[in-house]
Amino acid sequence: MLRFISLWTIDLYIFGIKFKIGGLYPFVNTSFKSIVNTHLAFTDLINFDSSVIEQIYQASKFENRCEIFQNHFADLLIPKRKDKFERLGRLLNSNEDFAQLNDSEYKTVMRLFIDVTGISPKEYIQIKRINQSLAQISQKKDIKSHELADMLGFYDSAHFTNEFKKYTGKTPKSFKNEISSTESNQIVQEFRQYISPEHLLFYTSKVHRKK
Protein backbone atom coordinates (compact mmCIF):
# COMPACT_ATOMS: atom_id res chain seq x y z
CA MET A 1 0.00 0.00 0.00
CA LEU A 2 2.92 2.36 0.61
CA ARG A 3 6.63 2.82 0.17
CA PHE A 4 9.17 4.81 2.13
CA ILE A 5 11.67 7.35 0.79
CA SER A 6 14.79 8.62 2.55
CA LEU A 7 17.01 11.48 1.34
CA TRP A 8 20.13 13.06 2.80
CA THR A 9 21.78 16.27 1.67
CA ILE A 10 24.50 18.23 3.45
CA ASP A 11 22.13 19.96 5.87
CA LEU A 12 18.78 18.32 5.22
CA TYR A 13 17.16 14.96 5.92
CA ILE A 14 13.79 14.01 4.47
CA PHE A 15 11.75 10.94 5.36
CA GLY A 16 8.75 10.47 3.07
CA ILE A 17 5.87 8.03 2.68
CA LYS A 18 4.16 7.51 -0.65
CA PHE A 19 0.88 5.58 -0.85
CA LYS A 20 -0.12 3.54 -3.84
CA ILE A 21 -3.39 4.47 -5.55
CA GLY A 22 -6.14 3.90 -2.97
CA GLY A 23 -3.60 2.79 -0.36
CA LEU A 24 -4.60 5.42 2.18
CA TYR A 25 -8.31 4.57 1.96
CA PRO A 26 -8.32 1.73 4.57
CA PHE A 27 -6.86 4.06 7.21
CA VAL A 28 -8.95 7.19 6.75
CA ASN A 29 -12.64 7.54 7.56
CA THR A 30 -13.07 10.33 5.02
CA SER A 31 -14.77 10.62 1.63
CA PHE A 32 -11.96 10.92 -0.87
CA LYS A 33 -14.30 12.56 -3.38
CA SER A 34 -14.57 15.53 -1.01
CA ILE A 35 -10.80 16.14 -0.89
CA VAL A 36 -9.82 15.75 -4.55
CA ASN A 37 -7.56 18.63 -5.69
CA THR A 38 -7.01 19.93 -2.17
CA HIS A 39 -3.83 20.28 -0.11
CA LEU A 40 -4.10 18.80 3.37
CA ALA A 41 -1.61 18.23 6.14
CA PHE A 42 -1.19 14.54 6.91
CA THR A 43 -2.44 15.16 10.44
CA ASP A 44 -5.66 16.65 9.04
CA LEU A 45 -6.52 13.19 7.71
CA ILE A 46 -4.86 10.93 10.25
CA ASN A 47 -4.97 11.10 14.04
CA PHE A 48 -1.22 10.81 14.26
CA ASP A 49 0.21 11.30 17.76
CA SER A 50 2.86 14.00 17.88
CA SER A 51 4.99 11.74 20.08
CA VAL A 52 5.17 9.20 17.24
CA ILE A 53 6.37 11.90 14.84
CA GLU A 54 9.04 12.80 17.40
CA GLN A 55 10.07 9.13 17.66
CA ILE A 56 10.44 8.97 13.87
CA TYR A 57 12.49 12.15 13.93
CA GLN A 58 14.77 10.87 16.70
CA ALA A 59 15.31 7.39 15.22
CA SER A 60 18.88 6.88 14.08
CA LYS A 61 18.22 4.55 11.13
CA PHE A 62 15.89 4.58 8.14
CA GLU A 63 14.69 1.05 8.97
CA ASN A 64 13.76 2.17 12.50
CA ARG A 65 11.73 5.07 11.15
CA CYS A 66 9.81 2.70 8.85
CA GLU A 67 9.12 0.30 11.72
CA ILE A 68 7.87 3.05 14.04
CA PHE A 69 5.52 4.38 11.37
CA GLN A 70 4.18 0.95 10.41
CA ASN A 71 3.62 -0.12 14.02
CA HIS A 72 1.56 2.98 14.76
CA PHE A 73 -0.20 3.09 11.41
CA ALA A 74 -1.36 -0.54 11.62
CA ASP A 75 -3.55 0.38 14.60
CA LEU A 76 -5.47 2.86 12.41
CA LEU A 77 -6.67 0.22 9.94
CA ILE A 78 -10.47 0.28 9.42
CA PRO A 79 -11.57 -3.32 8.63
CA LYS A 80 -14.60 -2.44 6.48
CA ARG A 81 -12.59 -0.03 4.34
CA LYS A 82 -9.77 -2.57 4.07
CA ASP A 83 -12.26 -5.14 2.78
CA LYS A 84 -13.56 -2.70 0.17
CA PHE A 85 -10.02 -1.82 -0.94
CA GLU A 86 -9.13 -5.50 -1.32
CA ARG A 87 -12.38 -6.23 -3.15
CA LEU A 88 -11.59 -3.55 -5.70
CA GLY A 89 -8.12 -5.04 -6.15
CA ARG A 90 -9.56 -8.48 -6.80
CA LEU A 91 -12.06 -7.12 -9.33
CA LEU A 92 -9.38 -5.16 -11.19
CA ASN A 93 -6.99 -8.10 -11.27
CA SER A 94 -9.62 -10.54 -12.50
CA ASN A 95 -11.09 -8.30 -15.22
CA GLU A 96 -8.39 -7.21 -17.61
CA ASP A 97 -10.90 -6.64 -20.40
CA PHE A 98 -13.54 -4.32 -18.97
CA ALA A 99 -15.43 -4.35 -22.26
CA GLN A 100 -16.55 -7.85 -21.31
CA LEU A 101 -18.16 -6.75 -18.03
CA ASN A 102 -21.94 -6.73 -17.81
CA ASP A 103 -23.72 -3.56 -16.63
CA SER A 104 -23.92 -4.69 -13.01
CA GLU A 105 -20.24 -5.64 -12.81
CA TYR A 106 -19.17 -2.44 -14.55
CA LYS A 107 -21.18 -0.25 -12.16
CA THR A 108 -19.75 -2.12 -9.16
CA VAL A 109 -16.16 -1.54 -10.31
CA MET A 110 -16.83 2.13 -11.09
CA ARG A 111 -18.49 2.74 -7.72
CA LEU A 112 -15.73 1.01 -5.77
CA PHE A 113 -12.99 2.79 -7.70
CA ILE A 114 -14.50 6.22 -7.08
CA ASP A 115 -15.08 5.45 -3.39
CA VAL A 116 -11.52 4.23 -2.86
CA THR A 117 -9.67 6.84 -4.94
CA GLY A 118 -12.06 9.79 -5.20
CA ILE A 119 -11.83 9.83 -9.02
CA SER A 120 -13.13 7.75 -11.91
CA PRO A 121 -10.97 5.15 -13.70
CA LYS A 122 -11.04 7.33 -16.82
CA GLU A 123 -9.66 10.32 -14.94
CA TYR A 124 -7.04 8.15 -13.22
CA ILE A 125 -5.81 6.87 -16.59
CA GLN A 126 -5.62 10.43 -17.90
CA ILE A 127 -3.62 11.53 -14.86
CA LYS A 128 -1.22 8.62 -15.40
CA ARG A 129 -0.74 9.68 -19.02
CA ILE A 130 0.01 13.26 -17.98
CA ASN A 131 2.45 11.98 -15.34
CA GLN A 132 4.18 9.94 -18.03
CA SER A 133 4.44 13.04 -20.19
CA LEU A 134 5.98 14.96 -17.26
CA ALA A 135 8.55 12.20 -16.83
CA GLN A 136 9.38 12.29 -20.54
CA ILE A 137 9.76 16.08 -20.56
CA SER A 138 11.95 16.11 -17.46
CA GLN A 139 14.27 13.57 -19.11
CA LYS A 140 14.18 14.93 -22.66
CA LYS A 141 13.35 18.63 -22.80
CA ASP A 142 13.45 18.88 -26.58
CA ILE A 143 10.71 16.28 -27.04
CA LYS A 144 7.84 17.65 -29.16
CA SER A 145 4.18 17.74 -28.20
CA HIS A 146 3.18 15.70 -31.25
CA GLU A 147 5.72 13.02 -30.19
CA LEU A 148 4.21 12.87 -26.72
CA ALA A 149 0.69 12.77 -28.18
CA ASP A 150 1.59 9.79 -30.35
CA MET A 151 3.47 8.05 -27.55
CA LEU A 152 0.68 8.41 -24.97
CA GLY A 153 -2.36 7.86 -27.16
CA PHE A 154 -3.79 11.38 -27.50
CA TYR A 155 -5.66 12.33 -30.67
CA ASP A 156 -3.13 14.98 -31.67
CA SER A 157 -0.79 17.60 -30.19
CA ALA A 158 -3.65 20.04 -29.56
CA HIS A 159 -5.55 17.42 -27.56
CA PHE A 160 -2.41 16.63 -25.55
CA THR A 161 -1.67 20.31 -24.87
CA ASN A 162 -5.25 20.95 -23.69
CA GLU A 163 -5.20 17.95 -21.34
CA PHE A 164 -1.71 18.85 -20.08
CA LYS A 165 -2.84 22.36 -19.20
CA LYS A 166 -6.05 21.06 -17.62
CA TYR A 167 -4.11 18.95 -15.13
CA THR A 168 -1.00 21.07 -14.58
CA GLY A 169 -2.15 24.63 -15.19
CA LYS A 170 0.71 25.04 -17.68
CA THR A 171 1.43 24.40 -21.32
CA PRO A 172 4.15 21.84 -22.12
CA LYS A 173 6.37 24.71 -23.29
CA SER A 174 6.04 26.68 -20.05
CA PHE A 175 6.73 23.55 -18.01
CA LYS A 176 9.91 22.89 -20.02
CA ASN A 177 11.02 26.47 -19.39
CA GLU A 178 10.47 26.18 -15.64
CA ILE A 179 12.28 22.86 -15.45
CA SER A 180 15.24 24.45 -17.24
CA SER A 181 15.24 27.41 -14.85
CA THR A 182 15.53 25.11 -11.81
CA GLU A 183 18.22 22.80 -13.18
CA SER A 184 20.95 24.52 -11.21
CA ASN A 185 19.05 24.11 -7.94
CA GLN A 186 20.75 21.46 -5.79
CA ILE A 187 17.53 20.35 -4.09
CA VAL A 188 15.85 19.63 -7.44
CA GLN A 189 18.85 17.58 -8.53
CA GLU A 190 18.89 15.64 -5.27
CA PHE A 191 15.16 14.98 -5.41
CA ARG A 192 14.83 14.14 -9.10
CA GLN A 193 15.53 10.44 -8.65
CA TYR A 194 13.20 10.07 -5.67
CA ILE A 195 10.08 12.08 -6.41
CA SER A 196 7.44 11.63 -9.04
CA PRO A 197 7.18 14.14 -11.91
CA GLU A 198 4.03 15.77 -10.53
CA HIS A 199 5.95 16.70 -7.37
CA LEU A 200 8.68 18.22 -9.51
CA LEU A 201 5.97 20.22 -11.28
CA PHE A 202 4.67 21.44 -7.91
CA TYR A 203 8.17 22.45 -6.81
CA THR A 204 8.89 24.41 -9.99
CA SER A 205 5.52 26.14 -9.57
CA LYS A 206 6.49 27.24 -6.06
CA VAL A 207 9.82 28.56 -7.34
CA HIS A 208 8.08 30.42 -10.14
CA ARG A 209 5.59 32.10 -7.78
CA LYS A 210 8.39 33.33 -5.51
CA LYS A 211 10.17 35.21 -8.30
Side-chain angles (χ1 to χ4, degrees), residues 2 38 40 44 47-48 50 56 59 67 94 122 130 135 148 153 166 171 179 185 192 195 201:
L2 55 84
T38 60
L40 296 172
D44 289 339
N47 184 23
F48 214 68
S50 59
I56 292 173
E67 184 178 0
S94 62
K122 181 179 179 181
I130 296 300
L148 288 166
K166 172 184 174 183
T171 64
I179 287 292
N185 188 292
R192 190 181 292 275
I195 64 175
L201 172 71

Side-chain angles (χ1 to χ4, degrees), residues 120 122-134 137 145 148-149 152-172 201:
S120 69
K122 181 179 179 181
E123 187 169 7
Y124 172 68
I125 291 170
Q126 199 74 319
I127 290 170
K128 291 289 288 184
R129 294 161 84 192
I130 296 300
N131 282 349
Q132 289 171 9
S133 74
L134 290 170
I137 292 172
S145 290
L148 288 166
L152 300 172
F154 291 93
Y155 297 124
D156 52 31
S157 60
H159 179 216
F160 164 68
T161 299
N162 288 337
E163 289 299 306
F164 190 95
K165 189 170 183 179
K166 172 184 174 183
Y167 285 99
T168 69
K170 306 172 187 296
T171 64
L201 172 71

Side-chain angles (χ1 to χ4, degrees), residues 138 179 183 187-195 200:
S138 66
I179 287 292
E183 278 190 333
I187 295 297
V188 171
Q189 292 304 309
E190 294 284 356
F191 268 89
R192 190 181 292 275
Q193 61 181 311
Y194 295 98
I195 64 175
L200 184 60

Side-chain angles (χ1 to χ4, degrees), residues 8 13 55-65 68:
W8 281 99
Y13 179 80
Q55 289 176 44
I56 292 173
Y57 177 75
Q58 295 294 339
S60 59
K61 295 182 179 179
F62 173 70
E63 293 78 10
N64 294 342
R65 291 185 171 91
I68 292 168

